Amino acid sequence: MKTLKNMEAIFTVAVAIACGASYASFNQPSAARTADVAQANAIPVVVVSAKRLTEQEKKISLIEERQALLGNATASTL
């Protein structure tokens, strides 16, 4: 009977150590997490260097885009 009580105590201590080690290792940041956080904190910068379209160029661009969409729509329904 004493042997079973000792085994129960050993099991309880082993579970406590395993839970503590798991908790401690979970709280430590890994290298992959650190890199993700560094990338998430970086502010993306977009630089657009192009001239503005005139009103006539915008209309032509829209007409060409609509024609392309209509052409693709008929081809996709086949």
Side-chain angles (χ1 to χ4, degrees):
M1 202 63 166
K2 267 191 163 182
T3 314
L4 290 177
K5 284 188 177 184
N6 288 338
M7 292 300 282
E8 183 181 350
I10 291 171
F11 177 75
T12 306
V13 170
V15 168
I17 291 172
C19 289
S22 174
Y23 181 75
S25 67
F26 182 73
N27 284 335
Q28 293 177 350
S30 66
R33 287 187 205 158
T34 308
D36 290 343
V37 170
Q39 287 178 353
N41 290 338
I43 299 173
V45 177
V46 178
V47 178
V48 178
S49 59
K51 64 175 187 154
R52 290 186 176 260
L53 295 176
T54 63
E55 191 67 32
Q56 187 177 13
E57 290 173 333
K58 287 180 189 178
K59 288 180 183 177
I60 293 170
S61 175
L62 286 172
I63 291 170
E64 290 173 351
E65 184 179 347
R66 287 180 187 150
Q67 288 175 347
L69 286 174
L70 289 175
N72 289 340
T74 56
S76 65
T77 56
L78 294 176

